[in-house]
């Protein structure tokens, strides 16, 4: 074996149980070099599908098996919870250790863990809770109202983005240079007040998790020393997408002692809009002593065709570190390109190909449908539902973001921490219990003046007696309810606690008495919540030193909609391109390849934006293992308006010889593709449909053509015709003056 001497040279090779060939046999030379490197700082820079993640996992196993590093001394950062779970499972298979002693997680997850352990040193309340971005926006809106800022002039979303950005840079208000600039001044005001509210209520937004844990390490030398001694090895996947605060956090934690092993691909940097800095790739080589740089160039994931398309596309970007990916794999089938006449047609095409895949013995879980914008999933979903194909959407409205679930979590959060203002606001009058807006407003007022939490203020208002006795009684009953619930459930396992709270808060009854399918769903979701709590009872891995309630609440906020393997096992996977990072699927659809949608309109203003979109497209293409389809629609209704589109420049950037246009509609005569969208009536109206798909027609100006599609009704009825030498055009039927060709061969 080519690598045998490398193995035998290792001083730890003592007996046959130390045989590590299973760790290094499935690697190529360059990969093996990375996995078996001596303990140095190492940066693996390599393209998609070249085995970076595989190398990272094998490196951890190698460190434990050969270098005899305790799992206790290893910290690994991955990009998603799903990747972290997978990493633990694979390590378990490889070396048999349970992942629970090792710190493996996302930056946010690990930061959170640190803060739970050291909440006092971090200056936090013990039962602190995480604000998801929805909650954050709501809280900001309140703060801005108090500051009398006009929402039109100062959109809360903008403030949210700005404050998160400050935090991602590692800045507190005092670090920001205002320079008489009104915008910055206002943002700082909001930041200051918002932060005070969060502190008082024990709430942390996502960006705060990172910044706060960074400050903890920076400002508490004994804690930093402890972790520096502990973590001898730090490994980071998807390194190209770390932002400033994440990088500083790593740098601080590593100090001069830990060895860092980072893998990344500059061509897959897709989080610039959220503050990620590709320059960290360069910084790494300077900041971490004697960094070795390794490159991997063989791709193991995709066919040569798919790879060639990806290489050609990304060449249009400037300032790349540059690399050439190759494969020994076969050429594979051409990339299918489907031009749909609208988004329903696009969705039907996708569904049809998935059905074909399944009919050929493929599995649904092998199929991924990727899109640029979340809003695109709705039509795809409706067609999948009609075709009775199981699917799962990642990153849409997550289970834990649904109204009824947030209500229920509100109660649980208030039980865990009375001072959680955001939970207090959420449930004080849900279900309705006669506490009017005026009462709530006066509670807010007292809280504001006294620097109190809403809970504290409410208690004070009741005692002060300057509220009508009816209002005061209602308020008192609410506080008592929460206290009672806490008392009654103190000894209960989490799922019984949840059950008890749903029942006695009146929340379940509140949703039950509402009529309608949607409300029924909500009741079902509440039951689902109870089952979700069950696993928190005695799974020590999930608990991580917290009470089951704390652990559960934290995970609901950090959950990114990734579900356990078993659930997604049989489903087609729908997700945005951003969430597809790091994953791979035998069959991939990239939908909506249209200018302004992908590349996204917002990114078209500058070249950086466009290049990031192109990298996103590169990420999309390189998810595909065996078959890739690109689709675009000529007309698309998105966010309520219907638009004629232009196909994405990214399609043109892929060499034509790799692409095979698919013309379903020219064979439409035998199997009509056109069926009206579900919203339209399905019975063809008498006036419509005077032409048949595939029929030859004559236009006074454009000449002869073939009918490809029709849609719409009455005056809005449109027809798509492929004219000889001119290509396809959509025409409004009433004005088109089309005539049937003589001796039409339909
Ligand atoms: P991405 O940039 O998309 O994150 P990556 O560089 O992390 O990709 P991996 O996901 O680790 O790549 O590997 C891609 C695929 O190739 C996986 O299915 C992996 O198991 C396989 N693979 C990697 N290295 C080898 C190898 N030496 N032999 C066979 N298969 C390999
Ligand atoms: Mg990877």
């Amino acid at each position: 074996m080519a690598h045998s001497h490398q193995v035998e040279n290792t001083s730890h090779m003592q007996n046959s149980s130390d045989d590590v060939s299973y760790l290094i046999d499935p690697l190529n030379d360059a990969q093996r070099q990375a996995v078996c490197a001596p303990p140095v700082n190492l940066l693996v820079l390599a393209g998609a599908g070249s085995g970076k993640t595989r190398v990272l996992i094998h490196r951890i196993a190698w460190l434990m098996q050969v270098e005899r590093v305790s799992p206790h001394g290893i910290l690994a950062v991955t990009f998603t919870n799903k990747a972290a779970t997978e990493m633990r499972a694979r390590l378990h298979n490889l070396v048999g250790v349970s992942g629970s002693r090792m710190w493996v997680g996302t930056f946010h997850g690990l930061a959170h863990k640190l803060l739970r352990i050291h909440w006092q040193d971090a200056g936090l309340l013990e039962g602190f809770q995480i604000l998801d971005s929805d909650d954050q926006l709501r809280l900001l809106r309140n703060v801005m109202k108090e500051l009398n800022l006009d929402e039109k002039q100062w959109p809360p979303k903008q403030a949210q983005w700005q404050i998160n950005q400050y935090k991602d840079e590692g800045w507190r208000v005092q670090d920001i240079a205002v320079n008489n600039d009104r915008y910055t001044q206002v943002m700082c005001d909001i930041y200051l007040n918002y932060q005070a509210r969060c502190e008082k209520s024990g709430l942390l937004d996502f960006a705060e998790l990172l910044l706060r844990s960074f400050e903890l390490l920076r400002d508490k030398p004994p804690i930093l020393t402890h972790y520096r001694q502990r973590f001898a090895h730090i490994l980071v996947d998807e390194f190209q997408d770390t932002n400033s605060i994440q990088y500083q956090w790593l740098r601080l934690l590593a100090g001069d002692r830990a060895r860092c092993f980072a893998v990344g691909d500059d061509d897959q940097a897709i989080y610039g809009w959220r503050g990620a800095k590709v320059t960290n790739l360069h910084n790494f080589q300077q900041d971490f002593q004697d960094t070795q740089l390794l490159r991997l160039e063989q791709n193991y994931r995709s066919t040569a065709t798919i790879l060639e398309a990806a290489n050609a596309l990304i060449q249009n970007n400037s300032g790349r570190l540059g690399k050439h990916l190759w494969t020994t794999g076969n050429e594979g089938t051409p990339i299918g390109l489907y031009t749909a006449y609208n988004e329903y047609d696009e969705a039907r095409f996708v569904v049809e190909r998935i059905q074909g895949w399944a009919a050929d013995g493929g599995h649904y879980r092998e199929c991924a449908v990727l899109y640029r914008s979340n809003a695109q999933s709705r039509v795809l979903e409706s067609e999948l539902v009609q075709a009775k194909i199981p699917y799962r959407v990642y990153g849409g409205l997550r289970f834990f973001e649904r109204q009824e679930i947030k209500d229920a979590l509100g109660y649980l959060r208030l039980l865990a921490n009375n001072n959680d203002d955001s939970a207090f606001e959420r449930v004080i009058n849900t279900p309705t219990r006669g506490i009017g807006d005026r009462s709530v407003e006066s509670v807010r007022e007292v809280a504001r003046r006294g620097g109190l939490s809403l809970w504290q203020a409410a208690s004070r208002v009741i005692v002060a007696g300057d509220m009508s006795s009816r209002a005061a009684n209602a308020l008192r009953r609410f506080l008592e309810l929460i206290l009672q619930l806490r008392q009654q459930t103190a000894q209960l396992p989490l799922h019984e606690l949840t059950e008890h709270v749903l029942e006695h808060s009146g929340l379940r009854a509140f949703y039950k008495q509402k009529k309608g399918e949607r409300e029924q769903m909500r009741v079902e979701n509440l039951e689902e919540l109870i089952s979700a709590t069950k696993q928190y009872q005695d799974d020590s891995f999930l608990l991580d030193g917290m009470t089951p309630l704390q652990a559960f609440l934290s995970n609901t906020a950090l959950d990114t909609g990734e579900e356990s393997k078993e659930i997604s096992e049989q489903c087609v996977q729908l997700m945005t391109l951003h969430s597809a990072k790091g994953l791979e699927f035998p069959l991939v659809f990239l939908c909506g390849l249209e200018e302004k949608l992908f590349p996204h309109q917002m990114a078209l203003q500058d070249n950086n934006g466009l290049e990031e979109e192109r990298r996103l497209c590169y990420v999309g293409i390189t998810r595909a293992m065996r078959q890739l389809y690109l689709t675009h629609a000529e007309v698309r209704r998105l966010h309520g308006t219907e638009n004629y589109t232009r196909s994405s420049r990214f399609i043109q950037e892929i060499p034509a010889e790799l692409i095979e246009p698919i013309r379903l509609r020219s064979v439409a005569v035998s199997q009509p593709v056109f069926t009206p969208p579900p919203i339209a009536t399905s019975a063809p109206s008498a006036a419509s449909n005077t032409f048949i798909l595939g029929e030859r027609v004559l236009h006074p100006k454009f000449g002869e053509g073939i009918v490809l599609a029709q849609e719409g009704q009455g005056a809005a009825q449109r027809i798509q015709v492929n004219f000889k030498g001119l290509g396809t055009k959509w025409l409004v039927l009433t004005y088109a003056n089309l005539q049937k060709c003589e001796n039409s061969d339909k």
Side-chain angles (χ1 to χ4, degrees), residues 364-381:
Y364 287 142
R365 63 163 186 276
E366 295 168 335
C367 314
V369 187
L370 311 181
Y371 37 82
R372 176 66 181 88
S373 147
N374 267 316
Q376 285 170 259
S377 80
R378 196 185 55 80
V379 172
L380 290 161
E381 285 183 70

Side-chain angles (χ1 to χ4, degrees), residues 402 452 470 621 713 715:
R402 296 182 183 139
L452 304 170
R470 233 182 86 225
I621 293 174
Q713 249 116 52

Side-chain angles (χ1 to χ4, degrees), residues 24-29 31-32 46-57 90 237-238 240 263-265 268 296 298-302 580-584 618-619 622-623 625:
I24 44 186
D25 277 355
L27 302 173
N28 65 32
D29 286 347
Q31 293 175 331
R32 204 174 298 132
S50 58
K52 294 183 297 298
T53 303
R54 176 185 273 214
V55 160
L56 189 110
I57 290 169
R90 285 175 69 181
D237 199 359
E238 307 275 4
Q240 75 280 357
V263 307
D265 177 4
Q268 293 186 70
L296 311 174
Q298 183 170 0
N299 172 293
Y300 288 93
R301 180 179 291 150
S302 312
K581 200 161 105 144
L583 307 179
E584 60 188 18
Y618 175 80
V619 168
T622 54
R623 298 311 96 198
M625 299 163 79

